[in-house]
Amino acid sequence: MRYLPLTPEDRADMLARIGVSAVDELFADIPADKRQTALPDLPLRRGEMEVERALSRLAARNVPAGSVPFFVGAGAYRHHVPATVDHLIQRSEFLTSYTPYQPEIAQGTLQYLFEFQTQVAELTGMEVANASMYDGSTAAAEAVLMAHRLTKRGKAVLAGNLHPHYRETIATVSRYADLPLESLTPVPAGGEDILSAIDQSVSCVVVQSPDVFGNLVDLKPIAEKAHAAGALLVAVFTEAVSLGLVEPPGAQGADIVVGEGQSIGNALNFGGPYVGLFATRAKFVRQMPGRLAGETVDAEGRRGFVLTLSTREQHIRREKATSNICTNSGLCALAFTIHLSLLGEAGLTRLARINHAAACDLADKLAALDKVAVVNASFFNEFTIRVAGNAAEVVEKLAAKGILGGVPYSRLAPQAGLDDLILVAATEVTTDEDRAAYAAALNEVLA
């Protein structure tokens, strides 16, 4: 006998309370052609081997990133992750079903979170970092809320070359915080006029470097203008490896630095989970979201670690909380920490140089083709090409030739009218042969 706790009258009362007439109205944001309105037509029974074969056929329709030349980035990058990283994070001390951050039982966890924070602070050129955020986009949204709390102003300016998904996440969070946003128009070649949008009403300006098109942005003049107007500069990055070569945002005057840490220690994983990075100035630490692990000594003078600041609503009263972030992507943060420890400062710089060299070589090869133009004047390991024709169709034709040739910008921002742009990434895993194969295939597709 099934126990159904809600009667039809209960459901009707709940729907009336939230102002809808039927449950279907709750799914109005899902396009009608994407909804499953009936049960799928599946066979009633099959043997185990038959099911395995059927599912294998379905899985074979995917193209794994490592199986073909791969140039996809746009916020998630394929890098080599040493086997040591996966081996260590799967040790039973670390691999648990719940985040083991209680100080009395998890000194090891608190220590690696402390070391993770230290690495993030050094990478970004900032004084403090937390541990940690869901991913780069939610970290960016938290940064906007933090700037609002610090400046007591509501309006945030978003650079046009900010990753569209980051912009959407910020917009979603700001919508319910009743904070206005000004989103500038994308400028694929870089050099967008951000300064003219900064005035006395602005709480923060959010700028990505390298931006979504791959351009490197000089943050110093933006920081100076923002500070003169009493606003904060939120610097964003989606490729953590770039910090091995690019001047840290903190040294360029950023007040809050946020980004995605997936590139270090974490594989693509079908899109997540990833690890958000968040760092700021020491004077702003009490408005920082999430939690912060600190170092101390016990009554006998022995080194220990504790949760020092936890301004999230699980720890303090909701109305006093800076955030309702409830995880720290702990295992991803551990993978980041282990991989970066293995690389060291010199190793990260060398890795960054290899990435940049690969991208330069690829850009030269593609720029030499007819009907292709590289739009960037400067970049790290990702750049944008303009192709003759529809970029999404070109990418599909490349995939048919066994080349995953990048991300059409129209996929990230369908309404932008930039349908001829492809974001192309090259990392240390793209070989000379891969880059040559890409150029040859693109030449054939555009012929």
Side-chain angles (χ1 to χ4, degrees), residues 213-241:
F213 299 104
N215 303 293
L216 295 168
V217 181
D218 183 1
L219 300 175
K220 292 176 182 174
I222 303 172
E224 290 173 3
K225 179 70 181 292
H227 295 160
L232 303 180
L233 171 60
V234 177
V236 177
F237 60 88
T238 60
E239 171 54 288
V241 175

Side-chain angles (χ1 to χ4, degrees), residues 261-304:
Q262 171 268 324
S263 287
I264 300 178
N266 291 277
L268 291 171
N269 295 332
F270 299 97
Y274 289 163
V275 53
L277 310 182
F278 194 112
T280 188
R281 305 289 178 190
K283 61 184 178 182
F284 301 141
V285 68
R286 291 196 174 275
Q287 286 298 330
M288 188 166 62
R291 55 195 164 203
L292 193 150
E295 182 183 30
T296 187
V297 293
D298 65 12
E300 299 176 359
R302 295 177 299 185
R303 186 187 189 211

Side-chain angles (χ1 to χ4, degrees), residues 11-27:
R11 294 189 177 89
D13 287 344
M14 288 189 288
L15 292 171
R17 178 65 66 90
I18 61 178
V20 296
S21 59
V23 172
D24 288 346
E25 291 185 34
L26 300 177
F27 303 101

Side-chain angles (χ1 to χ4, degrees), residues 192-210:
E192 59 178 319
D193 180 16
I194 299 172
L195 299 181
S196 63
I198 303 173
D199 58 32
Q200 304 293 326
S201 67
V202 173
S203 65
C204 65
V205 54
V206 184
V207 184
Q208 180 179 335
S209 180

